[in-house]
Amino acid sequence: MDGSGMAHPVRDIVVVGGSHAGLFAGIALRNAGFRVRIFERAPQVLQGTGGGIRVQPRLAAILQREAGIDLSQFATRTRYDRHLAPRSAGPGNRIVFEQAEEGAFASWSSLYRALVARFGRDDYVLGETCLDAIEASDGAVVRFAGGRSERADLVVYADGIGSAARARLNPSAVLQYAGYVVWRGLVRMDQLSGETRDLIRDARLFVIPGLSHVICYPVPGEDGEPGHRVNAMWYRNVPAGPALEDLMTDREGVHRPTSLKAGSVQQRHIDAFRRAVEAELPPAPAEIFAKAEPFVTTINDVEPFRMAFGRQLLIGDASAATRPHVSASTARALLAAVGLADALKRAGGMDEVRAELSAWEREHVAIAQEFTNRGRMIGRRLQVEGTFVPGDPELTQITMPVAG
Ligand SMILES: Cc1cc2nc3c(=O)[nH]c(=O)nc-3n(C[C@H](O)[C@H](O)[C@H](O)COP(=O)(O)OP(=O)(O)OC[C@H]3O[C@@H](n4cnc5c(N)ncnc54)[C@H](O)[C@@H]3O)c2cc1C
């Protein structure tokens, strides 16, 4: 109901996709008084990689306000950015640059678990793959692969970077491969040597071997695990074409254009990666990668951005994928979710809902564009031009989007 006592034209909202963005939307919209159900295709609660999410102060503040989640309870902290020379510059872990820089990192799974606990399991439906939604003047019918269908006043798709909803609603927005992938690995801190632990426990560790870059930092351990883990990423150029297709084909022969999980990368690619680690990285990051089970993600942009299509909306990575260098995808998804809830609360009738949704789209498309441009600039300087200068605030300091 709005203040006039008239029924709000939006009451039931279906969210498709139950990862971070879907849960942000579910929590924010329910806080605003809407009836929300989340449908996730995975048959069980999601198993994350434990990879890192940079916790920026505003992300933490909004999560605390909207979801009562205190990220500081399960975030690791760093106090320095520390750069090591690549192996080509000589043996050992040689620090070539260091500056004070505060950082806080949650793990993907710790944030996910907190969000599911907050949203609850009653309206969090697993094992339902959305096929599409049919719109009518008074709502939409969301159809699922198993034959289920659900009526909703609005459908929010948070179905990730490979979004099928985006492909239907915004077909000109295709994934544009950025020219490089990120090799990732996670290892428990207590499995590392004392020298490596000393270098990483309070720092983000960087190495820039040629036209590539490595970042490692501590993240919280998985449930029940003693101590922290180290999250390691090495961004490496791989030309589009057969080399990339082969790399992104898993052990079962299935081509996966965006991500291969730990355990599914073909052994000969892992062997080649381990040889490169030995040849190019100083001992600390080399040890981290040597003890991890590596996995690979491609880096992509998605344009043009659109988010609002009548009663169907895109949010999170489904609306736009921004490169990880900007460390802002999670914050962007959260801001869009909170902004959506506020926009819908303000609207009295269906015309106002449409106007609010198009203003919401304009604001959040601009944010996505800004972060895409910034991610491209950082990627170009590191992976193409080799003009990255350690400590350059243009490249390292993260600014949050303006909304929220
Ligand atoms: C290397 C790397 C590092 C990153 N680092 C950071 C960082 O430091 N900080 C940060 O903020 N972000 C970071 N990100 C980005 C961040 O992981 C995502 O932006 C964030 O998790 C939001 O994802 P999402 O919920 O939109 O999509 P996803 O997490 O991809 O979730 C989509 C969900 O939709 C479900 N789904 C898909 N199709 C259907 C369907 N048809 N029906 C039902 N369900 C469906 C999927 O199963 C999945 O659970 C990083 C990303 C990468 C690749």
Side-chain angles (χ1 to χ4, degrees):
M1 296 282 197
D2 64 13
S4 67
M6 285 176 51
H8 193 288
V10 174
R11 199 182 55 218
D12 286 306
I13 300 179
V14 160
V15 175
V16 173
S19 179
H20 290 172
L23 284 159
F24 291 153
I27 291 167
L29 290 165
R30 204 166 56 187
N31 286 348
F34 301 102
R35 177 170 176 244
V36 188
R37 284 160 306 153
I38 298 178
F39 294 89
E40 163 58 48
R41 72 178 168 195
Q44 285 136 12
V45 285
L46 303 175
Q47 297 297 321
T49 60
I53 300 290
R54 183 156 186 174
V55 179
Q56 302 168 42
R58 277 189 63 216
L59 169 67
I62 298 169
L63 266 177
Q64 175 82 65
R65 188 186 76 208
E66 290 290 320
I69 294 174
D70 181 1
L71 276 180
S72 65
Q73 301 231 315
F74 48 85
T76 50
R77 297 194 178 277
T78 55
R79 294 170 51 224
Y80 300 98
D81 278 354
R82 188 169 284 149
H83 288 244
L84 300 180
R87 182 152 299 197
S88 60
N93 291 309
R94 210 156 52 81
I95 298 172
V96 287
F97 177 83
E98 182 170 296
Q99 71 177 0
E101 175 77 34
E102 299 279 329
F105 301 92
S107 71
W108 188 97
S109 29
S110 53
L111 177 56
Y112 170 75
R113 279 195 300 271
L115 291 167
V116 173
R118 175 68 187 196
F119 186 77
R121 293 294 301 277
D122 290 351
D123 292 313
Y124 186 77
V125 186
L126 292 165
E128 291 288 357
T129 301
C130 171
L131 294 176
D132 60 12
I134 309 292
E135 276 197 50
S137 57
D138 62 343
V141 175
V142 189
R143 303 192 300 186
F144 294 88
R148 181 176 190 150
S149 64
E150 296 288 341
R151 195 208 156 272
D153 299 308
L154 274 184
V155 189
V156 178
Y157 297 101
D159 53 347
I161 190 166
S163 171
R166 181 181 65 232
R168 284 197 306 279
L169 298 167
N170 189 15
S172 59
V174 286
L175 283 186
Q176 299 156 23
Y177 173 58
Y180 52 100
V181 305
V182 55
W183 280 85
R184 306 166 66 187
L186 282 148
V187 63
R188 274 172 36 192
M189 191 76 101
D190 63 6
Q191 293 175 329
L192 299 170
S193 65
E195 183 179 355
T196 300
R197 281 206 304 271
D198 286 346
L199 282 165
I200 187 84
R201 74 168 93 242
D202 60 351
R204 286 198 301 171
L205 214 56
F206 293 82
V207 191
I208 305 180
L211 294 178
S212 79
H213 68 288
V214 175
I215 307 179
C216 311
Y217 52 82
V219 293
E222 292 297 278
D223 246 1
E225 227 176 57
H228 296 154
R229 287 185 175 203
V230 174
N231 183 33
M233 287 155 285
W234 188 2
Y235 293 84
R236 290 170 60 81
N237 294 339
V238 178
L244 180 69
E245 294 209 357
D246 187 35
L247 173 62
M248 299 309 294
T249 299
D250 69 16
R251 291 180 184 186
E252 257 73 66
V254 181
H255 180 241
R256 304 197 180 271
T258 54
S259 216
L260 291 182
K261 292 188 178 132
S264 67
V265 182
Q266 294 181 65
Q267 192 56 45
R268 65 198 159 83
H269 293 306
I270 292 184
D271 294 343
F273 175 69
R274 293 206 187 285
R275 285 195 295 275
V277 164
E278 261 316 292
E280 297 180 48
L281 303 189
E287 183 190 3
I288 294 166
F289 278 117
K291 290 182 173 164
E293 168 81 63
F295 55 107
V296 191
T297 305
T298 58
I299 305 300
N300 300 281
D301 300 305
V302 180
E303 275 181 310
F305 307 128
R306 289 278 317 275
M307 296 173 79
F309 308 81
R311 292 177 183 271
Q312 301 181 72
L313 313 173
L314 299 176
I315 202 167
D317 287 2
S319 63
T322 39
R323 298 191 194 182
H325 323 307
V326 190
S327 303
S329 304
T330 304
R332 193 168 54 76
L334 178 62
L335 289 180
V338 172
L340 176 61
D342 288 345
L344 290 175
K345 257 194 308 194
R346 278 194 299 268
M350 203 55 211
D351 284 347
E352 281 177 41
V353 168
R354 282 192 204 97
E356 285 288 350
L357 288 179
S358 81
W360 169 79
E361 177 180 51
R362 270 197 307 281
E363 180 175 4
H364 292 277
V365 160
I367 290 171
Q369 189 67 64
E370 182 191 331
F371 279 87
T372 293
N373 293 345
R374 194 163 162 167
R376 280 191 175 132
M377 182 271 289
I378 296 173
R380 190 176 61 244
R381 290 188 59 184
L382 280 158
Q383 301 291 132
V384 181
E385 297 170 351
T387 54
F388 180 94
V389 180
D392 181 344
E394 266 272 287
L395 302 179
T396 52
Q397 277 171 17
I398 307 307
T399 42
M400 278 280 287
V402 285

